[in-house]
Amino acid sequence: MPNDELFSSSIELRGPLQSTRSPKDGEPKDAYAGKLFQWQQSRIQRRLEGEYQSQVFRLSELVGGNLSTPLKVSRVRIEGASNTRPGFLSRVVNPYLHDAAGLEQESTLETVLHKTKEITYALARTQLFKNIVPEIETPQSALADIDEVDLVFRCEERGRLSLKSSTEVGNGDASASANVKFRNAFGGAEELEGSVAYGMKTQHTYRLSLTAPLTGSMLTKGELTTYAIDNDYQAWASCKEAQKGIKAAVSTINSFGQHELSYQAVLRHVHSLTPDASMSIRKAAGTSFKSSVHYNFIHDTRDDSVMGHKGMYFRLNKELAGLGGDTSFGKIETESQMSRRLFRGLHVSLATRAGFLYPLGGKTAMFNDRFKLGGPLNVRSFRYNSLGPRDNGDAVGGDTYWAAGLSFIADLPQKPHWPLKPHLYVNAGKLTTLDRSRPLNNALRDVIFNPSVSVGIGLIYRFDPIRLEVNFGMPLMANKTDGYQRGFQIGFGLECL
């Protein structure tokens, strides 16, 4: 009976009961669908990362322990390059498979890996492919040795045709342009490009060019260009000038910098003279032909071409005209710029330019060939091309000039990353015609001394790859023929003092 009472008595259980489950690996206690899904995804991601790191470690051990294993390249296959000539690809790849003497190198797994990396970079430099996947595979050839492999590069070619329209601003001019480019035109990384532009000072420009690599390294290129340009000089020289020309150039890059050697033939026509054009401009009116050879060298180590904080820039341009044509002269022009950080938030920039033109064969320098100077981006606080000799208000240019600019550029307080920078500048320069009837020392003294000088402050705004300046300045020294401009001045372009 007592047992019957025990089993017949009711046991009351009251909830909620405490959970005895232990959360594993950060599993959320409140297992809502969103939280549980996020936890599962995070757990899977951590597991995949762990497996990936483990596989990388094992692969590193495997490769590192077999770097000296003999291994040779049987064949290089490039897949997906249907629009590119095999001969061109051979020129790109072959230099990395043999030494300078043309003999096959003693090859191990390490050298094969280095060759794979170098060939990948070489293919990328052609700019023909948007995706390159290198792989090492067993040889397809039945005659291959046991220690040979195939290098396979699976590539995806870029589109061959591109169309672009843009608004361009630079060196005091603004233009709207349309451009069409045909990449890899003949299967050897050639570029056929045509463009048309309409602007304010350069009223229209038509250009057609063909560029092709001359070496497999892509460091040396050849270029053929034909162009037609119509410039408006009426604001400072009471005329317009039309140019039609061709250019053939070879350019290369080495450890010193960029080099370009070119030949140009240009037919020039000075036209649309205003009623008050000076006698110098009227004499320059008409058609002339120039045939010249150019050499251009650029060395640039700046960290930023627009507002650099360190490094230097140097450009040298030489021109020899007189290989036929109506003008004959030798011309040299240099430009340099150096930037240094003084302390945090302030850096200094020093820029210089100079040029010299010497007529040959007893001829005088023509208006089209002389140097022009002045404007908001070289000698500030002077009007565009307003320095130097003038004739009845027209700037006719000179054959010798120099210019220098010192700028202190600061960051805005608490906003060093902003593209807007205040600056303080001092500019000086002079453009003149060298008097060859006088002793050389006296003539050079006239060129160097009594320059035009200006100072001012302003704001610089960076629009890659140009800069816009709004300055307030005044000339401290000016020659009687200079066109100075006090007060505000706006300038935009690629190159500036």
Side-chain angles (χ1 to χ4, degrees):
M1 187 66 182
N3 292 335
D4 294 340
E5 292 180 357
L6 177 63
F7 288 105
S8 62
S9 63
S10 60
I11 301 175
E12 183 178 1
L13 298 176
R14 296 183 180 179
L17 302 178
Q18 184 177 1
S19 175
T20 60
R21 176 176 55 86
S22 300
K24 298 177 61 178
D25 197 19
E27 182 180 356
K29 296 180 179 180
D30 299 325
Y32 295 114
K35 291 184 178 181
L36 184 60
F37 177 76
Q38 292 178 3
W39 170 77
Q40 290 174 341
Q41 292 295 319
S42 176
R43 191 178 185 188
I44 293 172
Q45 184 65 28
R46 289 196 302 271
R47 181 179 299 173
L48 291 176
E49 289 177 357
E51 292 178 356
Y52 174 77
Q53 293 174 0
S54 177
Q55 293 294 336
V56 169
F57 180 74
R58 292 174 185 173
L59 180 61
S60 299
E61 282 189 326
L62 179 63
V63 173
N66 294 275
L67 289 177
S68 58
T69 302
L71 196 67
K72 294 184 294 185
V73 177
S74 172
R75 185 183 176 191
V76 175
R77 305 200 313 269
I78 301 176
E79 301 178 355
S82 57
N83 296 318
T84 307
R85 299 194 310 268
F88 170 74
L89 294 174
S90 296
R91 281 198 300 154
V92 174
V93 172
N94 285 343
Y96 301 99
L97 299 179
H98 302 87
D99 59 15
L103 303 175
E104 189 173 350
Q105 301 174 348
E106 182 178 357
S107 186
T108 63
L109 174 59
E110 183 177 11
T111 59
V112 169
L113 292 175
H114 283 301
K115 289 177 182 179
T116 305
K117 180 179 179 180
E118 291 169 349
I119 294 174
T120 302
Y121 287 160
L123 292 174
R125 280 198 300 269
T126 65
Q127 298 184 356
L128 298 178
F129 310 107
K130 59 182 178 181
N131 190 26
I132 303 173
V133 179
E135 294 183 358
I136 299 177
E137 296 184 355
T138 55
Q140 290 183 342
S141 174
L143 302 177
D145 294 335
I146 193 171
D147 61 344
E148 291 185 337
V149 295
D150 283 356
L151 298 185
V152 182
F153 298 86
R154 292 184 169 85
C155 305
E156 184 180 357
E157 289 185 322
R158 296 178 183 271
R160 304 183 72 183
L161 184 65
S162 65
L163 301 172
K164 182 179 70 173
S165 62
S166 63
T167 301
E168 300 173 355
V169 180
N171 295 330
D173 194 11
S175 63
S177 65
N179 177 282
V180 58
K181 180 186 293 186
F182 191 51
R183 186 184 289 107
N184 202 18
F186 306 108
E190 305 89 355
E191 286 189 355
L192 182 62
E193 184 175 2
S195 64
V196 57
Y198 294 89
M200 297 186 302
K201 295 177 182 177
T202 303
Q203 293 191 322
H204 64 254
T205 302
Y206 305 101
R207 182 175 179 271
L208 179 65
S209 67
L210 174 64
T211 305
L214 302 181
T215 61
S217 65
M218 306 298 293
L219 297 179
T220 302
K221 296 184 178 182
E223 179 183 358
L224 291 175
T225 304
T226 180
Y227 59 90
I229 304 174
D230 198 356
N231 294 310
D232 187 356
Y233 300 153
Q234 291 185 345
W236 52 273
S238 303
C239 67
K240 296 181 180 180
E241 183 189 31
Q243 298 182 8
K244 297 179 180 179
I246 59 172
K247 174 184 176 182
V250 176
S251 61
T252 187
I253 300 175
N254 59 19
S255 58
F256 296 101
Q258 304 176 26
H259 308 260
E260 182 183 85
L261 181 65
S262 64
Y263 169 77
Q264 294 188 40
V266 187
L267 184 66
R268 308 173 298 184
H269 180 55
V270 176
H271 63 98
S272 300
L273 276 63
T274 61
D276 56 349
S278 64
M279 187 58 64
S280 296
I281 300 299
R282 295 182 183 277
K283 289 181 179 180
T287 302
S288 64
F289 178 71
K290 182 179 75 168
S291 173
S292 63
V293 176
H294 291 253
Y295 170 71
N296 191 55
F297 168 73
I298 296 177
H299 177 76
D300 192 355
T301 61
R302 296 172 298 178
D303 59 340
D304 191 316
S305 61
V306 180
M307 289 188 290
H309 292 79
K310 60 181 180 180
M312 66 169 296
Y313 170 83
F314 177 76
R315 180 179 67 87
L316 172 66
N317 184 61
K318 297 180 180 180
E319 181 180 5
L320 178 62
L323 308 175
D326 303 315
T327 183
S328 181
F329 60 86
K331 191 175 185 180
I332 184 171
E333 189 173 10
T334 65
E335 180 181 353
S336 65
Q337 195 261 336
M338 182 175 62
S339 299
R340 289 291 184 271
R341 186 188 299 272
L342 298 179
F343 49 84
R344 186 174 183 180
L346 179 67
H347 69 274
V348 61
S349 173
L350 175 64
T352 62
R353 296 179 189 173
F356 178 70
L357 183 151
Y358 190 85
L360 302 175
K363 299 180 180 180
T364 59
M366 301 182 69
F367 165 77
N368 322 62
D369 304 315
R370 298 190 190 115
F371 296 111
K372 315 299 188 298
L373 187 66
L377 290 182
N378 47 68
V379 184
R380 299 174 178 88
S381 298
F382 291 88
R383 292 194 297 272
Y384 187 73
N385 288 348
S386 67
L387 269 66
R390 304 181 77 85
D391 183 4
N392 193 29
D394 290 329
V396 296
D399 56 20
T400 306
Y401 87 95
W402 67 269
L406 181 66
S407 298
F408 295 91
I409 304 174
D411 296 332
L412 290 176
Q414 308 298 324
K415 301 293 182 182
H417 58 284
W418 278 23
L420 184 66
K421 312 284 184 182
H423 78 132
L424 170 69
Y425 66 83
V426 179
N427 292 161
K430 188 169 185 179
L431 172 68
T432 186
T433 300
L434 191 65
D435 188 355
R436 295 174 179 83
S437 63
R438 302 176 58 191
L440 183 60
N441 292 338
N442 294 336
L444 291 177
R445 188 179 298 111
D446 291 341
V447 173
I448 297 173
F449 294 105
N450 299 321
S452 302
V453 182
S454 63
V455 297
I457 59 174
L459 293 173
I460 303 173
Y461 191 86
R462 173 178 180 152
F463 288 101
D464 270 334
I466 67 168
R467 64 191 252 175
L468 168 68
E469 293 188 6
V470 179
N471 299 317
F472 182 87
M474 64 178 60
L476 299 182
M477 298 174 59
N479 293 286
K480 60 181 181 180
T481 58
D482 295 340
Y484 55 85
Q485 179 178 343
R486 296 190 183 96
F488 287 99
Q489 193 175 37
I490 298 176
F492 46 85
L494 302 171
E495 302 172 353
C496 59
L497 284 179

